[in-house]
């Protein structure tokens, strides 16, 4: 069998181009399924996930970190129930940040003994739900929460395990909106305050200090920040026996970067190689919270071109391409994938059909009434015409999970592919669902 034609825009071989001379030659495939056929069957905009790509990433992390590591998938990256079940099938636990995410695990019928619960401000009902679910530990990063947790422990009649989230003031070298481990960020407890907080935890009969947690930010591509952060936490633990008494876990957070079509993804084996010996020297077990790394490359957003349009000023040469901006108008928008608008994120884009040879510099924009509604700006792409399909790559993480109904748009359908089999794992929303909570409201 000849090897598949790679698709350079994709961070996984699960998306590839059809072999020359065969059916679907040059077209985009997801595993053994033509992406164009999925668009026909399920409509657009459409999220398409590769099961194999998710499996591969889960296995790669397990190989790197070993059987002893607790790998908690960050549910926020993509909270689709079918994907959660798939990841649980690899022995993964979950990192949740809300009672809603915990509820999803219950609805998916998943165990909660390998769940960590993070967040700067948890509500009492969320804490109660997590206590009832007997999660692995709470990641605590705001002092006011200690009293809430202690009260919940007293009610339950057992000590709650907490990991203290430290803010090590480490530069993660990523976008400002997704940096979390600097002292100006709201996350974690600064090392200057941490001794006091540890004292409070140790003194509290209903709490026990199970570990330390650090999360530096997202889309990290180098090992150094992980090591830096660990060394700072280790120095803190070494400063006083009370800082390490009973500590069993070190949660190194998530933030494992993917390529987004440019540069290298984070070398997860190198992170493991650097951290595991340091952890085992202290008898600390690793916990990690990857989100994007597991599902980001596994998903594409498929969108249809509705038309093209040129914009130029009076006196400048012809419209389309003639000195002004050329727009490709598509049926996906910032409500479906907000990352370009919110973080200036650059997702690779390519036609689903075999790309035309002619290339043009275009802005790919959606129908939403916002200038910020773009999927790409000033991008060199093969020429497209109305009716063409485009794939927006690396959209499996923080795509569907951040989608909204802005402009009263229905959130997209989601499909999971395994080989030549495609399953709808979330239906496209209906207009009835959009307005269900507003109809029959008594205005009197
Ligand atoms: N752990 C904690 C405590 C987190 O806050 C996050 C992400 C993760 C783990 C997972 O990070 P990951 O491995 O996926 O990078 N919406 C943004 C990313 C925000 C991430 C927030 N926290 C984006 O689209 O890039």
């Amino acid at each position: 069998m000849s090897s598949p034609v790679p698709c350079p825009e994709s961070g996984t071989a699960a998306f590839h181009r059809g072999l020359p001379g065969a059916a679907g030659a040059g077209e985009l495939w997801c595993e053994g399924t033509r992406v164009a056929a999925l668009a026909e069957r399920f409509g657009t905009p459409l999220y398409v996930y590769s099961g194999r790509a998710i499996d591969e990433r889960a296995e790669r992390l397990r190989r790197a970190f070993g059987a002893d590591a607790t790998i908690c998938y960050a549910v926020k990256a993509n909270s689709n129930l079918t994907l959660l079940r798939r990841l649980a099938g690899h022995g993964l636990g979950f990192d949740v940040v809300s009672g809603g995410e915990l509820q999803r695990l219950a609805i998916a019928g998943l165990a909660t003994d390998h769940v960590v619960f993070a967040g700067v401000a948890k509500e009492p009902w969320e804490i109660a739900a997590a206590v009832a679910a007997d999660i692995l530990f709470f990641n605590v990063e705001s002092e006011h929460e200690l009293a809430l947790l202690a009260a919940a422990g007293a009610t339950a009649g057992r000590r709650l395990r907490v990991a203290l989230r430290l803010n090590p003031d480490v530069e993660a070298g990523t976008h400002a909106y997704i940096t979390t481990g600097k002292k100006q960020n709201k996350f974690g407890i600064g090392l200057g305050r941490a001794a006091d907080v540890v004292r409070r935890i140790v003194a509290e009969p209903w709490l026990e200090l199970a570990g330390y947690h650090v999360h530096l930010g997202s889309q990290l591509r180098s090992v150094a920040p992980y090591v830096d952060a660990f060394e700072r936490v280790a120095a803190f633990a070494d400063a006083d026996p009370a800082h390490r008494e009973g500590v069993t876990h070190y949660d190194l957070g998530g933030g494992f970067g993917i390529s987004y079509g440019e540069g290298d993804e984070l070398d997860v084996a190198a992170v493991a190689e650097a951290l595991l010996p340091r952890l085992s020297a202290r008898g600390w077990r690793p916990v990690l919270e990857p989100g994007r790394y597991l599902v980001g490359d596994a998903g594409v957003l498929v969108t249809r071109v509705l038309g093209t349009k040129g914009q130029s000023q009076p006196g400048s040469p012809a419209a389309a391409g003639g000195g002004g901006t050329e727009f490709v108008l598509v049926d996906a928008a910032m409500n479906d994938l907000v990352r370009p608008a919110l973080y200036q994120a650059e997702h690779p884009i390519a036609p689903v059909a075999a790309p035309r040879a002619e290339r043009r510099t275009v802005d790919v924009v959606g129908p939403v009434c916002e200038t910020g509604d773009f999927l790409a700006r000033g991008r060199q792409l093969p020429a497209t015409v109305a009716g063409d399909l485009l794939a927006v790559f690396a959209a499996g993480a923080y795509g569907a999970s951040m989608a909204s109904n802005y402009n009263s748009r229905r959130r997209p359908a989601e499909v999971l592919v395994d080989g030549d089999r495609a399953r709808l794992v979330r239906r496209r929303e209906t207009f009835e669902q959009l307005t269900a909570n507003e109809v029959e409201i008594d205005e009197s």
Side-chain angles (χ1 to χ4, degrees), residues 313-351:
Q313 296 305 315
S316 75
T325 307
E326 192 174 323
F327 296 98
V328 175
L329 311 162
V330 297
D331 67 0
M334 64 190 292
N335 74 294
D336 304 301
L337 179 66
V338 75
R339 303 194 70 259
L342 195 54
Y343 315 113
Q344 296 80 47
E346 305 232 352
H347 287 254
I349 297 180

Side-chain angles (χ1 to χ4, degrees), residues 153-374:
T155 305
R158 63 183 167 81
R159 301 175 80 192
L160 302 186
R161 291 174 296 272
V162 304
L164 184 61
R165 177 168 178 178
L166 296 173
N167 182 328
D169 194 25
V170 163
E171 182 55 61
T174 187
H175 189 279
Y177 282 14
I178 52 177
T179 292
T180 55
K182 294 284 291 170
K183 61 176 183 288
Q184 58 272 32
N185 303 136
K186 70 179 174 185
F187 300 99
I189 304 273
L191 288 169
R193 278 251 3 108
D196 278 350
V197 180
V198 166
R199 250 192 302 279
R200 282 186 62 185
I201 296 172
V202 171
E204 175 50 65
W206 294 110
L207 300 180
E208 68 184 75
L209 182 67
Y212 291 106
H213 173 224
V214 159
H215 172 76
L216 302 171
S218 270
Q219 194 46 20
L220 274 63
R221 306 229 203 182
S222 68
V223 180
Y226 289 98
V227 175
D228 248 28
F230 175 81
E231 293 299 352
R232 290 180 196 205
V233 173
F236 173 76
D238 287 341
D240 185 332
H243 295 178
R244 50 184 191 272
E245 176 72 32
V247 168
T248 49
H249 289 83
Y250 178 75
D251 181 341
L252 58 107
F256 297 6
I258 62 174
S259 74
Y260 286 112
E262 221 168 55
D264 295 326
E265 61 186 42
L266 178 71
D267 181 349
V268 295
V271 175
E273 235 165 80
L275 287 185
L276 292 185
R278 289 173 157 93
L279 290 176
S280 72
R282 289 168 183 273
W284 291 357
R285 295 180 57 183
V287 177
L288 43 152
E289 305 172 342
R292 180 186 332 255
Y293 185 81
L294 285 162
V295 295
D297 281 327
V300 302
L301 174 62
V302 183
T303 180
R304 199 173 283 283
V305 176
L306 301 174
T308 54
K309 155 172 185 174
Q311 209 68 286
S312 66
Q313 296 305 315
S316 75
T325 307
E326 192 174 323
F327 296 98
V328 175
L329 311 162
V330 297
D331 67 0
M334 64 190 292
N335 74 294
D336 304 301
L337 179 66
V338 75
R339 303 194 70 259
L342 195 54
Y343 315 113
Q344 296 80 47
E346 305 232 352
H347 287 254
I349 297 180
V352 169
R356 296 186 180 88
E358 185 198 350
R359 294 179 76 83
R360 309 187 68 91
T361 302
V362 296
D363 285 10
V364 180
V365 299
V368 161
C369 302
E370 295 265 355
T371 300
D373 178 31
F374 56 85

